Each structure stands twice: as structure tokens, then as C-alpha cells.
Amino acid sequence: MCAVLAAAAASAAPNHALLQDKKAFIDDLLGQMTLEEKIGQLRLISIGPDMPREKIVEEIAAGRIGATFNSVVHVDNRMMQDAAVKKSRLGIPIFFAYDVVHGHRTIFPIGLGLASSWDMATIERSARVSAIEASADSLDMTFAPMVDISRDPRWGRMSEGFGEDPYLVSRIAQAMVRGYQGDSPARRDSIMASVKHFALYGAVEGGRDYNIVDMSPMRMYQDFLPPYRAAIDAGAGSVMVALNSINGMPASANTWLMQDLLRKEWGFTGVAVSDHGAITELVRHGVARDGREAAKLAIKAGIDMSMADTLYWQELPGLVESGEVSMEEIDRSVRNVLGAKYDMGLFHDPYLRIGSPADDPADRYAEERMHRADAREAARRSIVLLENKNRTLPLRKSATVALVGPLADAPLDMMGSWSAAGRRESSVTLRQGMEEALRGKGRLLYAVGANVTDDKRIVDYLNFLNWDEKEVLQDPRPPAEMIAEAVALAKQADVVVAAVGESRGMSHESSSRTRLDIPASQRALLEALKATGKPLVLVLMNGRPLDLQWESANADAILETWFSGTEGGHAIADVLFGDYNPSGKLPISFPRSVGQIPTYYNHPRVGRPFIEGKPGNYTSQYFEEKNGPLYPFGYGLSYTEFALSPVVLSSDRMGRGGRIVARVNVANTGDRGGETVVQLYIRDEAASVVRPVKELRGFQKIALAPGETRTVEFEIGEDELKFFNARLEHVVEPGEFEVQIGLDSQSVETARFTLR
Ligand code: BGC
């Protein structure tokens, strides 16, 4: 007996293991299903801690549930799978999903942090480790990667994504899908990727979560849709549909989006799941009169599985009976669900990832210990050095360091939001990391110095969101007393390190902000520390670009560490003490103020561009403050220096279908080894439509020893020059192009060529 059949026989499953080809198998199964069983397959339900298990098992055994999420315990999932496979009439397995967004047990940096590494191998590895751990926890699918392009830091979910640039985010989307699914989602140690939130969720108006999206088709195609497409082209088996509306039609009822674009134009054949409660929300969007109409719109438009929503179950039978929804429409979605289960390998072996009771790990955290080195490496690579005046960093290990700030010893915040099965006990805080680094050499003094915020409205909100703890910990002492304690320590120290920024709940779903500054309680602490005259190093933890005008002027060094995960404390200490030379680059522009938003680097050209150094009237600018970002896209310093030569092109002409090569020499002119990211931008000088001032079209991360010079080459062909024209055709038009190569998006070397 072949292994497949043996596994099925051993699990006493009905003979689904007699798998012919996928289509024939699914046709056969579909032919045996009642309408009720079909609708059951379309239900994806959330398993809450207080849900009666007997009731769920009963529902599954009756064939009324297709999949669950939020259950990560083997015994529970085995019990549910037993009900599906051994008790339901047709024995169709269910699948288990979870939000494994930046790690599962081992937590990696948040999306913006991973993106700051510009290191595709590291990013792919983070997703691979996530898949190994999640599959070992009996999960089959993750609701990730989240690839929503976002250019508005007021939006709290920006933290989950990979920034503002379509090219960079698309590359990362592919790396994440490869990492999660490995060479096949049917592998025991793979999980299926559900790319989200399709589509354009990152463009909610004003950065206010769940708000509308109104966007021209050209911008969608050019900037916002490519990352979803990249994930799908990389084989993502599932798509999660967004909560927002797009140009007047909610995504969850949007036939253009889910059929014309996703299925017909892009050829997606996987399963489309709704976001949480999205079908019910169609009534609140005001496009459905009631639940019945909402279910009808969603199924017709192409939502296959309804997440945490009862409407499909309640309304689809009546809609089919009345003929408003056809059996073909139901079957189309059921096929997609069964197809995904087939692709996950569950018809071959429903217990593929659950295993047998005998194999249940005695220690559920063994995997996590195995992956600490991966997490530390990813976290170090995600840190961006924003300022380093007078070479304040790296610090000497023989120094006396005063560590202060509400995020210095905050294990939960360290992990960021959506930290899956991450545990506070596993999370290394900055205080722990620095203590270890200094042990036996220097001295670490510690005081909290301030609460993240003392604003009651914000504290109440964070308490409402707080997933793991009963209450957000607030030091009850008067702020002045906390600051005085910190200042006293600072005076005894050689240098002050202040860990400040946001608590993780401030950069999360539903956590939109109107201000981007460091909350007042922490700013007061920083001002007092500054007044001591001691060198001041800021370690920022946050999930969005902040307004750092005061900090950039007053701090001696600034490290942007995002929320860096389980090994964050070690990784930040590695950078602070020079055991790792920072190489991260911003995947998003940092504005000077909220009023400047959006500040993305690749904005379309205008007729009256602002010219630096010529602040005149009648150009596109804000007259009250300096124009341009505080820190541009692609920016990040190192403990060494790099120099770029002028760009040399292999030719200043390119024929249709041809290619040219752009070369620069990159030299490490400092006294330490280090890595940097060489970035290729292209500017289209004139086209049939308004084009961006420049666009990222390639990058290479390279390591150079002190004194070493390396030639970096970029090949440029028509793919690098293509864009969507007014008819939404992906075209290349002849004309002049400027090649820009730099170590950030602003300071670049240039050369020009003509496409004939
Ligand atoms: C979020 C999704 C998430 C889902 C399930 C929703 O509120 O928008 O991103 O995957 O919940 O947890």
C-alpha cells in the first residue's frame, strides 16, 4: 500500500486518499454533497477560549463548518478533525488557520522592521521559521502576508505591512509566500499563505482604519495592486478580501475586484476568504438592505469563505431555493475551498500537521528555542541608524550606561502587535540584552523614567485592546518623581540610552493616530535627560514613522528598532555595542509633521515642483516648514562610511527589447566592515501620462570590508521601464530615462539613456 493510502487507512478516514487528479476528485466529492454540506464548507469560524467544545464538535460532525481559526492546540484541533473526518457523513477534513504575521512562537520584527532589512533571504527565513513552528502547532493556513501599500502613518496597521514602495513590497511578498509555503503548501512543514487585505486597505482615507478608499485605476495598477499580484504569482493559495470599499463598492461585494481582476486577469485559482464579519458589514456600508442581501452580494461577487459571520449559513439555503443564487455559484466557491484543502495536502492526510497523540511534543516551546538565532539575526538586520552625531555609537562595553524609558523593559511591547503564539517569558527586553552585553565589563543603571503615556483617554484605549494582560502597566508615581529618578541615574552615567516610542497597541488594527510625536510624558523625560548634558542615545520602538523633529535635533544618536520581536533585546544590544554594524534602510519616508502627509518618495510629478534652496511663491510646498521628508525612503546610516562613484552605462541608447547595464563602484571608506543597500531608481523624463519623480527598480545589499571597493551592476531592460498608461495597458514608451543610483532615495548619482 502506498504511503498515502496507508496514512488514510490508519486515520480511518473515508477513502479520499484514492486521489485521482484534483479536478476529478473535487467533482466527485461535490456530486455527493447536499446543499447544507456545501454551505458548511463556506464557513470559517473563530474558536474563542470560552466556546463550548461539544457544540463545535457537534457542528463539525454535522458538516456545518469548513475551517476554524484561533485554535492552536493539538488536542483541540485533533478533536475537531476527528469530528470532521470520522464523524461527518463525507469525512471532509477541516483546516486550521491563524494570524501568523511575523513569527509564530518565535516572534520576528514587525513587517516594517523586516522590510527595513532589505534582505530577502532573511525575510524568507522568517516566514519559513513561522511555517515550521505553526505547522508543528497543527496549523494549515496563515492570514499573511499583509502587503497593503501604505503611505499614511496615521494608519495603525502600517506596522504589519512592508512600507510605501510597490517594488520593494512586491519582492517581500514573494519572499514571504516562498517562506510560508516552501516548495508546496502540501508539505507537512508548510502553511498556506492568505495574502491580505485585497485590496487597497492601506489607502484608507485619512489613515483612519476601516475608512473608504477612493483611488484612480491608474494609481491602483501602478502602485497599490502589484504586491498582491506578486504574492499570487508566487503561488499564494488564498486571498483575504479587505474590509474597505473601493470607489464606492465594498471589496466584499466587489465583482470587478474578485472576478474580473483576481480570477480573470490574474488567473487566481485559490480560495477567497472574507475578513472578520465583513459580510454583515455590507449592511453597514449601505449596499445591502439586510443580511439576506449581504450574503447574496458576497457569494455572487466571489467571497468563498465567510469569516466569523453567520449570514452564509442563515441565508444561502433560502437564496438558492428562491433561485436568487444558483447552485453553480455555490459550487464555484465550494470547489475553491475543497481545492485549497487538496492543495494543503489534507485529503491525502487530514492529520498531516496534527500528527498522532503519541507525537504530541512534550515541550511546546522546543521549536522556539531552536529559532532564537534566526530571530536575533533578523532583528539586528532590521534596525535603522537614523542619527549618529560625533560617532556616539557604538558604545564602549566598559562604560556606565543609564538605561531609561518605558520601553526598556517591556517584554510584550517588544513583540509588537499580532504576535501570534509569542510569550512574554520568551521575549528578551532591551534591559536584559544590555545587562548581558555589559556583564563583567561595564555597569547598567536602570529607571523607567516615564509611562508610555499619561493621557487617560489613550491608556483606556490601550487597556481595551490589551490582549494578554489585564491592564496596561502604569507606574502610579507622579511624573516628576519618575523623571527625577532617571535624571539622577543619568548624572552618574557616561551615556544615556532612552527606549521610547509607542506601546504595541498604539500601532495595531483600529489604532489610528492624529499625532505622530512621541507622547508628552516621554518627551518630558527626554527634555530632562537632554538637560543633563550627557550623550543621549534614543532607541525607538514604534510601528509607524514618527514625527522626530525634536529628537533628530536633540539626540546624539537614534536607532529605529521598530518592534523587534523575541530576540529584540539582544539584537539592539548587539548594535548599541558594535557587535553588529547596522545596515537597515527605511522602507518608508518619515515626515516632518502630520500636516505633511503623504510624504512618499515616488509621488507623481507636478507642474510647479518645489525646488530646494529656492523657496519662492507658487511652487508646490508647505510654507511653514522645510519641505521633503525628515528621513527619506531608503535612508539609514552605518558605523562605517560608503562612497559611490558616478554611474557608468554600457550604452546611452537602448533598442526595443534590448538591455543596458548600469555600473557604480561602491567603496567602504571607513574603518569597519559593513553592509549597505545600493538602490536603483529610474525617472521617466516624458511619457503619455504623468509619471512619478522616480521609482525603485532594483537593489542589492552588499557587505564590504574596510577599504574594499566593489562594482555593482544593474541590468535595465523594458521590464524596468514599463508602466500602466491611461488605458491601463502595461507599456514601455520610447524616450529619455534617468538612471539614479544611491544609498537612499535622495542622494543619488545619475546618468541618462534613450530608449528608441
Ligand atoms: C483583521 C485581519 C485578521 C482577522 C482574523 C481581522 O480583524 O482585519 O487582518 O486576519 O481579523 O484575525
Side-chain angles (χ1 to χ4, degrees):
M1 190 187 280
C2 77
V4 160
L5 287 175
S11 66
N15 223 352
H16 293 316
L18 283 173
L19 301 180
Q20 316 100 18
D21 77 289
K22 180 176 167 185
K23 185 176 174 308
F25 173 77
I26 290 173
D27 282 347
D28 183 37
L29 195 50
L30 205 59
Q32 301 173 50
M33 293 172 81
T34 63
L35 175 61
E36 190 177 88
E37 284 164 339
K38 290 177 181 175
I39 296 171
Q41 286 302 307
L42 310 183
R43 293 180 69 207
L44 169 59
I45 64 154
S46 171
I47 305 290
D50 313 321
M51 271 168 108
R53 292 292 184 266
E54 313 74 57
K55 175 81 182 129
I56 295 169
V57 163
E58 197 184 301
E59 292 268 291
I60 296 173
R64 294 192 194 125
I65 290 173
T68 78
F69 68 111
N70 285 343
S71 169
V72 282
V73 184
H74 276 95
V75 254
D76 287 355
N77 291 355
R78 184 177 298 116
M79 183 175 70
M80 291 191 265
Q81 195 66 300
D82 281 347
V85 173
K86 298 178 186 164
K87 299 199 183 129
S88 75
R89 192 177 74 87
L90 292 170
I92 299 174
I94 59 173
F95 71 78
F96 303 94
Y98 199 43
D99 288 283
V100 179
V101 177
H102 55 108
H104 179 59
R105 292 200 176 276
T106 307
I107 301 303
F108 285 82
I110 58 166
L112 278 182
L114 286 172
S116 299
S117 74
W118 293 58
D119 180 335
M120 298 307 118
T122 297
I123 293 173
E124 183 172 336
R125 178 70 191 153
S126 78
R128 186 87 286 273
V129 167
S130 307
I132 291 169
E133 293 186 355
S135 60
D137 255 353
S138 67
L139 297 170
D140 305 299
M141 180 192 272
T142 173
F143 299 138
M146 188 283 213
V147 300
D148 303 324
I149 293 283
S150 177
R151 294 164 169 181
D152 194 328
R154 290 174 294 183
W155 192 50
R157 301 200 76 170
M158 170 176 272
S159 57
E160 293 168 54
F162 304 108
E164 72 188 22
D165 182 67
Y167 179 81
L168 180 61
V169 180
S170 297
R171 294 276 305 268
I172 295 174
Q174 290 171 324
M176 293 295 288
V177 172
R178 280 198 305 269
Y180 287 134
Q181 297 193 166
D183 50 27
S184 159
R187 271 172 54 157
R188 179 188 297 275
D189 66 354
S190 288
I191 51 177
M192 182 175 275
S194 184
V195 59
K196 69 187 185 185
H197 304 81
F198 188 65
L200 319 181
Y201 185 25
V204 284
E205 194 171 87
R208 206 180 73 227
D209 211 359
Y210 318 124
N211 203 356
I212 62 156
V213 172
D214 201 314
M215 187 186 286
S216 76
M218 212 160 73
R219 171 166 280 196
M220 282 183 206
Y221 273 79
Q222 190 63 37
D223 293 352
F224 283 77
L225 293 175
Y228 309 107
R229 172 89 199 249
I232 288 165
D233 288 349
S238 172
V239 160
M240 184 189 291
V241 178
L243 293 168
N244 52 279
S245 63
I246 298 172
N247 296 346
M249 181 52 71
S252 312
N254 202 316
T255 306
W256 165 75
L257 184 74
M258 287 186 276
Q259 289 183 34
D260 299 344
L261 181 69
L262 180 66
R263 304 257 176 207
K264 295 194 193 119
E265 207 174 312
W266 293 0
F268 177 68
T269 55
V271 64
V273 301
S274 81
D275 201 344
H276 203 284
I279 302 178
T280 305
E281 287 174 21
L282 292 175
V283 178
R284 292 191 220 120
H285 278 288
V287 297
R289 272 183 307 274
D290 52 23
R292 181 183 165 89
E293 193 175 9
K296 178 173 147 185
L297 288 175
I299 191 87
K300 283 184 175 288
I303 296 276
D304 298 323
M305 289 197 105
S306 72
M307 183 196 290
D309 210 312
T310 51
L311 287 178
Y312 270 11
W313 182 247
Q314 288 159 5
E315 304 297 348
L316 288 181
L319 286 163
V320 172
E321 201 182 327
S322 71
E324 288 163 88
V325 169
S326 68
M327 193 60 92
E328 289 71 49
E329 284 165 325
I330 300 284
D331 285 354
R332 180 183 68 189
S333 285
V334 178
R335 270 177 206 288
N336 293 336
V337 176
L338 297 176
K341 292 181 177 181
Y342 187 103
D343 293 342
M344 289 172 192
L346 293 175
F347 285 115
H348 287 84
D349 179 3
Y351 297 89
L352 182 65
R353 299 180 186 87
I354 297 174
S356 67
D359 299 331
D360 280 358
D363 173 4
R364 293 179 67 202
Y365 300 101
E367 297 264 3
E368 174 198 294
R369 281 193 295 278
M370 274 165 49
H371 296 131
R372 285 196 163 271
D374 294 302
R376 184 165 180 164
E377 184 60 15
R380 315 203 291 186
R381 300 180 84 74
S382 70
I383 293 170
V384 187
L385 179 64
L386 296 178
E387 296 284 347
N388 197 14
K389 296 167 193 160
N390 308 315
R391 291 186 166 220
T392 305
L393 292 178
L395 304 177
R396 283 177 298 112
K397 281 192 185 157
S398 55
T400 298
V401 183
L403 172 66
V404 300
L407 295 164
D409 202 18
L412 287 175
D413 290 313
M414 207 71 197
M415 293 192 290
S417 77
W418 298 108
S419 48
R423 302 182 301 160
R424 79 166 9 249
E425 306 86 292
S426 307
S427 166
V428 178
T429 67
L430 180 55
R431 184 182 184 187
Q432 288 167 289
M434 288 178 76
E435 255 159 16
E436 273 179 46
L438 288 171
R439 190 161 299 145
K441 299 167 207 127
R443 207 150 72 92
L444 189 73
L445 313 171
Y446 166 76
V448 65
N451 287 315
V452 168
T453 176
D454 290 324
D455 183 328
K456 185 160 178 318
R457 185 187 170 97
I458 302 175
V459 175
D460 287 349
Y461 188 69
L462 295 176
N463 275 327
F464 157 75
L465 279 182
N466 205 14
W467 312 274
D468 303 273
E469 306 282 286
K470 288 218 164 44
E471 266 177 74
V472 171
L473 291 179
Q474 290 291 106
D475 195 314
R477 289 177 294 164
E481 188 183 321
M482 292 162 74
I483 290 179
E485 183 189 35
V487 164
L489 291 190
K491 286 182 177 157
Q492 300 166 40
D494 301 313
V495 58
V496 182
V497 173
V500 292
E502 301 182 300
S503 70
R504 63 177 183 160
M506 289 168 78
S507 281
H508 182 60
E509 179 175 349
S510 173
S511 297
S512 298
R513 295 185 63 188
T514 56
R515 308 180 54 152
L516 296 177
D517 43 9
I518 294 195
S521 54
Q522 300 182 69
R523 172 64 69 70
L525 169 67
L526 294 181
E527 284 169 7
L529 294 170
K530 172 76 183 166
T532 65
K534 297 284 174 158
L536 178 59
V537 177
L538 302 191
V539 170
L540 299 175
M541 298 185 194
N542 47 289
R544 48 159 66 82
L546 296 175
D547 165 356
L548 298 173
Q549 292 219 63
W550 185 92
E551 289 72 16
S552 73
N554 289 284
D556 296 285
I558 305 182
L559 283 182
E560 175 55 83
T561 72
W562 310 107
F563 295 114
S564 49
T566 304
E567 279 287 320
H570 285 141
I572 301 169
D574 288 342
V575 171
L576 284 172
F577 294 108
D579 294 324
Y580 180 78
N581 184 357
S583 62
K585 299 278 189 175
L586 295 178
I588 187 150
S589 312
F590 273 45
R592 290 174 193 278
S593 60
V594 181
Q596 238 194 357
I597 296 169
T599 33
Y600 59 99
Y601 81 95
N602 46 349
H603 58 84
R605 288 161 64 171
V606 298
R608 295 185 180 190
F610 174 74
I611 300 164
E612 194 58 60
K614 278 201 192 166
N617 288 323
Y618 306 108
T619 64
S620 188
Q621 61 165 326
Y622 295 104
F623 67 80
E624 298 153 291
E625 68 182 4
K626 223 170 161 303
N627 282 267
L630 183 63
Y631 298 115
F633 177 83
Y635 169 86
L637 303 171
S638 161
Y639 294 155
T640 188
E641 271 98 52
F642 298 99
L644 274 192
S645 71
V647 180
V648 176
L649 298 183
S650 57
S651 167
D652 59 6
R653 277 158 210 212
M654 190 200 279
R656 294 307 299 258
R659 305 188 78 73
I660 59 168
V661 177
R663 287 188 186 86
V664 282
N665 293 329
V666 189
N668 180 346
T669 56
D671 51 10
R672 281 175 162 263
E675 284 179 84
T676 191
V677 182
V678 189
Q679 302 159 34
L680 167 76
Y681 297 89
I682 292 186
R683 174 183 167 94
D684 189 343
E685 292 295 359
S688 58
V689 293
V690 173
R691 309 267 17 255
V693 291
K694 62 174 74 184
E695 289 170 298
L696 183 71
R697 284 295 189 225
F699 58 86
Q700 292 176 39
K701 188 160 189 170
I702 56 165
L704 292 176
E708 187 184 347
T709 299
R710 178 135 10 121
T711 304
V712 173
E713 293 189 351
F714 291 100
E715 252 196 36
I716 302 170
E718 289 195 357
D719 280 350
E720 281 67 38
L721 310 179
K722 276 191 171 156
F723 65 96
F724 288 93
N725 68 13
R727 294 214 300 268
L728 301 181
E729 297 153 340
H730 205 207
V731 297
V732 54
E733 292 176 357
E736 289 260 302
F737 293 87
E738 185 172 84
V739 176
Q740 307 183 352
I741 300 181
L743 303 181
D744 64 53
S745 59
Q746 263 182 4
S747 352
V748 291
E749 297 290 334
T750 63
R752 293 162 82 90
F753 72 92
T754 310
L755 175 73
R756 302 190 159 234

